[in-house]
């Protein structure tokens, strides 16, 4: 039995709606989007045999915000809404600094954003004393990184 590639009906054979019925009663036929079947080689399998029950990964600074909060005020908690606000704040500041550092690199005809561009971007974006503190903390972090194994170039 060979299937034909033509649909079992043409426009001529479709039934027509009586003219007296309201337009709201008409159903518009929409084409459903195709769902691509996953093969076993997709790499989405988890340890439970590829059932896909894994929790969706969300990129958030909440764990880091909580750790810093506990360093500063050990007996203070934070609500979910406040955590969302802090997370949005950090994402916004990160975006501003990254954008400004990218512009600085482009102005100087560079393809790489270095700590120098980030430091200049921080000085341009953050106001007064806050910029000074941020620069000193950033310098301290870069120095600590370079003195550890992570900062050494392998040859």
């Amino acid at each position: 039995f060979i299937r034909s590639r033509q649909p079992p009906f043409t426009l001529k054979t479709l039934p027509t709606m009586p003219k007296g019925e309201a337009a709201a009663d008409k159903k518009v036929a929409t084409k459903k989007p195709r769902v691509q079947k996953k093969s076993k080689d997709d790499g989405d399998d988890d340890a439970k045999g590829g059932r896909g029950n894994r929790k969706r990964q969300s990129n958030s600074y909440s764990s880091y915000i909580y750790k810093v909060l506990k360093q500063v005020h050990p007996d203070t908690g934070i609500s979910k809404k406040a955590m969302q606000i802090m997370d949005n704040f950090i994402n916004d500041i990160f975006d501003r600094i990254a954008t400004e550092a990218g512009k600085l690199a482009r102005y100087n005809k560079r393809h790489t954003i270095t700590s120098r561009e980030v430091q200049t971007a921080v000085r341009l974006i953050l106001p007064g004393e806050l910029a000074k503190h941020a620069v000193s903390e950033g310098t301290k972090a870069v120095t600590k990184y370079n003195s550890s194994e992570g900062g050494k170039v392998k040859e």
Side-chain angles (χ1 to χ4, degrees):
F1 180 73
I2 299 172
R3 272 190 154 165
S4 66
R5 293 192 180 261
Q6 293 180 343
F9 52 85
T10 60
L11 290 177
K12 293 178 184 175
T13 60
L14 284 175
T16 56
M17 294 280 291
K19 291 182 181 178
E21 290 191 24
D25 293 340
K26 292 182 181 180
K27 290 184 179 178
V28 179
T30 58
K31 194 173 185 180
K32 291 183 181 179
R34 280 187 171 180
V35 178
Q36 191 175 13
K37 292 182 180 178
K38 291 183 181 180
S39 68
K40 290 186 179 183
D41 300 340
D42 282 349
D44 289 341
D45 298 341
D46 63 359
K48 295 180 182 177
R51 282 185 235 129
N53 295 358
R54 278 193 279 177
K55 187 177 178 183
R56 191 158 199 181
Q57 185 179 2
S58 62
N59 297 331
S60 173
Y61 295 102
S62 59
S63 61
Y64 309 107
I65 294 167
Y66 191 76
K67 286 175 187 175
V68 171
L69 175 67
K70 288 302 169 186
Q71 284 177 353
V72 180
H73 297 290
D75 56 339
T76 306
I78 187 166
S79 68
K80 202 176 273 190
K81 187 74 174 173
M83 187 62 83
Q84 285 178 340
I85 291 167
M86 287 299 296
D87 194 55
N88 289 338
F89 171 73
I90 292 172
N91 281 319
D92 182 48
I93 294 296
F94 177 85
D95 191 42
R96 289 184 197 185
I97 291 171
T99 303
E100 190 63 37
K103 286 178 187 175
L104 288 165
R106 206 173 308 121
Y107 294 155
N108 295 315
K109 296 178 178 137
R110 303 268 185 246
H111 295 285
T112 309
I113 296 175
T114 64
S115 59
R116 187 168 188 239
E117 281 82 23
V118 174
Q119 189 177 62
T120 309
V122 165
R123 284 193 175 128
L124 289 169
I125 290 168
L126 299 180
E129 199 69 22
L130 192 59
K132 288 178 187 173
H133 284 292
V135 166
S136 68
E137 288 295 319
T139 305
K140 191 167 79 175
V142 169
T143 305
K144 184 179 176 182
Y145 176 77
N146 286 334
S147 67
S148 70
E149 290 295 320
K152 294 179 182 169
V153 179
K154 294 178 183 175
E155 291 186 39

